[in-house]
Amino acid sequence: MRLAILDHGHGLRAKAIFVLIRVFSGHPVVDAVKLALYRPDFYRAGGLTQKAMRGPSEWSVADRELMAAYVSKINETEFCIAAHTATSALAYNDGAKVSATLADLETAPLAEPLRATLRMLGKLTRENKVDADDISKVLAAGGSEQQIKDALAVAFAFNVTDRLADVFDFAVDDLGAINAGAKYLLQRGYR
Amino acid sequence: MRRAAFDNKGAAEPVGTFVDKVARHARTVTDADISTLRKAGLSEDQIYEVVVCAAIGQATRQYRNALAALSAVTGRN
């Protein structure tokens, strides 16, 4: 990471947690966790992200993980693309569906409300704005008002996280650690 | 400085240019950008705070813009 404090500046409690993670997971501590445990009094995104990704929603957990991967793809954030591609694939039990979506949203085997929602999130992420017409297209495709709000919460969380991952230069983990992280995120979430 | 980073407006140079890069082209930030901030006298914790505020600020503007577009369609807040 670009800031040494994010690798080595933690308090004793966080350092103890890192030891436990290394021992019990068998993998190094991923940079996202190091960031999450650095000055949580200043920046603590876990609760908000947990609510967006695991709270009550008409979207499945797999759908929301796919949104996270898709937003990260638009932002070109390698760490988050890898992590949430793996988590979505595991949640759907369908890696091909996730790969197809990231390769070409228009031809991927998705329900139309989800495709239209991802299209809108992609524009928001790329251009920083959408208009009433973009929203109307999601509603016309069968997406509900609440589904749009829930999807925007996912996009918010990952438009923050992607920027932090890129600027702090999170290392992309090996496949074993990525898959272990995906299992953890499905079992335990983001808290 | 935190407020200016969140707003992407009003930060003195070189922080202003850096904040705009975090907000709009985070993928292109390099080691050299961080070095520039260090040379300007920012500590690692100050850089950390600027980055966090800039990221949350930009995502907040996106989110509010989209919610306003949704309200324009539904007529509800």
Side-chain angles (χ1 to χ4, degrees):
Chain A
M1 280 200 278
R2 292 200 167 105
L3 298 180
I5 50 169
L6 296 178
D7 273 321
H8 307 297
H10 300 80
L12 286 177
R13 183 176 170 275
K15 284 179 178 167
I17 293 171
F18 294 162
V19 170
L20 292 174
I21 289 172
R22 284 190 207 100
V23 169
F24 286 103
S25 75
H27 296 286
V29 179
V30 300
D31 287 347
V33 173
K34 291 180 189 169
L35 174 65
L37 293 181
Y38 185 72
R39 290 183 61 187
D41 56 317
F42 182 75
Y43 172 64
R44 188 174 203 163
L48 186 148
T49 308
Q50 175 72 12
K51 190 175 174 192
M53 300 301 285
R54 300 289 183 269
S57 176
E58 294 168 45
W59 297 116
S60 69
V61 166
D63 292 339
R64 285 178 274 173
E65 289 289 343
L66 182 61
M67 291 174 198
Y70 188 75
V71 165
S72 300
K73 177 82 189 296
I74 301 295
N75 282 327
E76 299 178 43
T77 305
E78 298 299 330
F79 176 91
C80 297
I81 295 170
H84 299 284
T85 295
T87 310
S88 180
L90 190 61
Y92 279 129
N93 193 25
D94 187 351
K97 179 176 183 168
V98 179
S99 300
T101 303
L102 298 186
D104 185 353
L105 176 63
E106 301 309 324
T107 59
L110 297 172
E112 291 309 315
L114 180 55
R115 190 192 319 280
T117 298
L118 289 169
R119 204 181 283 132
M120 183 271 292
L121 295 183
K123 182 176 177 183
L124 179 65
T125 300
R126 196 180 299 112
E127 301 179 16
N128 297 303
K129 61 186 178 188
V130 290
D131 56 28
D133 190 43
D134 298 313
I135 297 292
S136 294
K137 285 175 182 167
V138 179
L139 295 168
S144 71
E145 183 180 350
Q146 190 58 51
Q147 280 181 312
I148 291 173
K149 288 180 179 175
D150 292 352
L152 291 175
V154 174
F156 172 83
F158 284 89
N159 272 306
V160 174
T161 301
D162 288 348
R163 282 172 173 76
L164 301 183
D166 279 334
V167 177
F168 295 139
D169 200 20
F170 284 9
V172 179
D173 305 290
D174 65 52
L175 201 56
I178 290 168
N179 287 330
K183 276 185 197 160
Y184 181 90
L185 285 178
L186 288 185
Q187 287 168 358
R188 303 285 300 277
Y190 290 82
R191 281 171 290 204
Chain B
M1 191 154 63
R2 293 173 181 177
R3 184 77 228 181
F6 181 92
D7 291 338
N8 190 12
K9 202 158 91 182
E13 292 303 327
V15 177
T17 297
F18 177 73
V19 164
D20 191 57
K21 203 168 180 181
V22 174
R24 300 195 301 118
H25 308 289
R27 185 77 189 88
T28 65
V29 168
T30 64
D31 293 350
D33 294 316
I34 304 294
S35 294
T36 299
L37 297 181
R38 288 189 213 275
K39 284 177 191 156
L42 271 73
S43 69
E44 288 217 333
D45 266 313
Q46 286 175 315
I47 297 169
Y48 160 82
E49 290 179 9
V50 163
V51 173
V52 169
C53 292
I56 294 174
Q58 186 69 10
T60 301
R61 284 185 289 280
Q62 293 175 338
Y63 182 69
R64 287 179 179 161
N65 165 275
L67 281 185
L70 178 60
S71 291
V73 174
T74 63
R76 287 184 289 273
N77 284 319

